Amino acid sequence: MAKTTSTPGGSGKASGAQKEKDAPPPPPEPLRVPVADSHTHLDMQPGTVEEALAKAASVGVTTVVQVGCDLAGSRWAAETAAAHGSVWATVALHPNEAPRIVLGDPDGWSRQGARQPGGDAALDAALDQIAALAALPQVRGVGETGLDYFRTGPDGMAAQERSFRRHIAIAKEHGKALVIHDREAHDDVLRVLAEEGAPDTVVFHCYSGDAAMAKICAERGYYMSFAGNVTFKNAQPLRDALAVAPLDLVLVETDAPFLTPVPYRGRPNAPYLIPLTLRAMAEVKGVPEDTLATAVAANTARVFGY
């Protein structure tokens, strides 16, 4: 999640540039083979859910997985999936959410605003609520969970790991896919999975490792989901990882409203832009667009059991 600020005033030219940056990109050419957006945040995007789903379906993105990052977002994900046949939900406390619950969040960075420290008891209570949501039939995954060493410092690592281990247990208890957020924590994420025993289905959302890690994931049967950043100029390590990832372990996602693919990087992302990322991925894999779309569609349905 990105924290945004606005600056009043400024020149008309800057205002015009800002309007262009804020404008949604035009719809891409529709896919011939329908696919799913395996990871999106509709609750952070403008407009209604119905509008987002219709726009996505118009370009061949006929299913979306709505991902929870905190208690409120996880409840919303479950409610939205119950109300829409083309939406499935995952529920979790984001890795950066766990330290806020335990240690407090005086700066109010999260969507809940400033919070007081609750300690491990508050974290355990929140995880109990995630476990209850994970039992719902429309909830097909536990995530996004994992470790994030970019935004959370050493003081929050214990809370993150405690939370991650409990999410692994919840996924195994309910037979749901484990959706992992891994930012600058590759070795520890793999270590914790090995120590706890991974669930049957594991997805590395917005895959961020290199080709060597992709080979490890493939050996362990972990799925790798690629987002719009695979199109970025400086993302050659991601493309190298995608190149060696087995076709039957690859997913595509937006992580919208973040990580908008080239040529619209910096503008709002949404599920309807999946075709741009998928076509770039097909080039990297050296396979026809329809071949990759067929594989991705089957993989996503298998992961989330729909």
Side-chain angles (χ1 to χ4, degrees):
M1 301 179 206
K3 186 176 184 179
T4 58
T5 58
S6 59
T7 304
S11 68
K13 182 178 180 181
S15 176
Q18 187 62 45
K19 285 182 180 179
E20 182 179 352
K21 184 178 180 181
D22 292 341
E29 180 184 347
L31 297 168
R32 292 180 293 269
V33 177
V35 301
D37 181 350
S38 73
H39 191 113
T40 195
H41 302 284
L42 295 171
D43 51 332
M44 302 180 198
Q45 300 167 38
T48 67
V49 170
E50 291 77 12
E51 289 167 346
L53 296 178
K55 198 169 184 179
S58 73
V59 297
V61 182
T62 54
T63 303
V64 303
V65 180
Q66 168 64 23
V67 175
C69 292
D70 52 33
L71 279 177
S74 293
R75 293 189 193 102
W76 191 89
E79 292 166 359
T80 302
H84 299 277
S86 60
V87 179
W88 299 103
T90 75
V91 298
L93 305 178
H94 189 282
N96 292 325
E97 176 71 0
R100 296 181 196 127
I101 293 173
V102 173
L103 302 174
D105 185 22
D107 296 329
W109 188 89
S110 74
R111 293 189 295 172
Q112 284 78 20
R115 287 180 284 175
Q116 296 300 310
D120 287 343
L123 178 58
D124 290 342
L127 288 165
D128 287 344
Q129 294 184 61
I130 293 296
L133 289 169
L136 297 172
Q138 72 271 27
V139 174
R140 298 303 174 92
V142 174
E144 57 188 283
T145 181
L147 301 173
D148 186 322
Y149 294 166
F150 174 78
R151 201 173 293 282
T152 296
D155 57 335
M157 288 181 180
Q160 282 200 359
E161 189 163 319
R162 181 187 184 95
S163 179
F164 184 26
R165 290 180 187 274
R166 178 71 188 283
H167 280 90
I168 293 172
I170 292 169
K172 290 195 288 188
E173 177 186 356
H174 295 290
K176 305 291 172 79
L178 182 73
V179 178
I180 290 178
H181 171 104
D182 164 28
R183 191 167 187 185
E184 299 185 7
H186 309 318
D187 291 344
D188 282 349
V189 167
L190 292 172
R191 172 183 58 81
V192 172
L193 282 172
E195 289 173 358
E196 293 294 319
D200 290 339
T201 305
V202 173
V203 179
F204 276 78
H205 124 75
C206 190
Y207 181 83
S208 60
D210 57 12
M213 181 175 164
K215 292 177 181 178
I216 293 172
C217 289
E219 290 169 1
R220 299 182 184 180
Y222 301 160
Y223 291 83
M224 291 159 273
S225 183
F226 290 86
N229 56 340
V230 77
T231 70
F232 295 176
K233 185 177 180 180
N234 63 350
Q236 190 57 46
L238 288 184
R239 291 186 284 274
D240 293 342
L242 174 59
V244 302
L247 203 57
D248 63 350
L249 291 176
V250 171
L251 307 180
V252 65
E253 65 172 88
T254 58
D255 197 21
F258 314 111
L259 301 177
T260 310
V262 170
Y264 303 110
R265 182 177 182 180
R267 292 171 67 175
N269 201 4
Y272 77 92
L273 294 174
I274 278 282
L276 296 175
T277 300
L278 186 132
R279 289 179 177 124
M281 290 170 61
E283 289 187 18
V284 172
K285 295 295 290 177
V287 299
E289 171 189 318
D290 291 358
T291 299
L292 181 60
T294 300
V296 162
N299 296 345
T300 316
R302 184 166 61 251
V303 165
F304 295 108
Y306 61 82

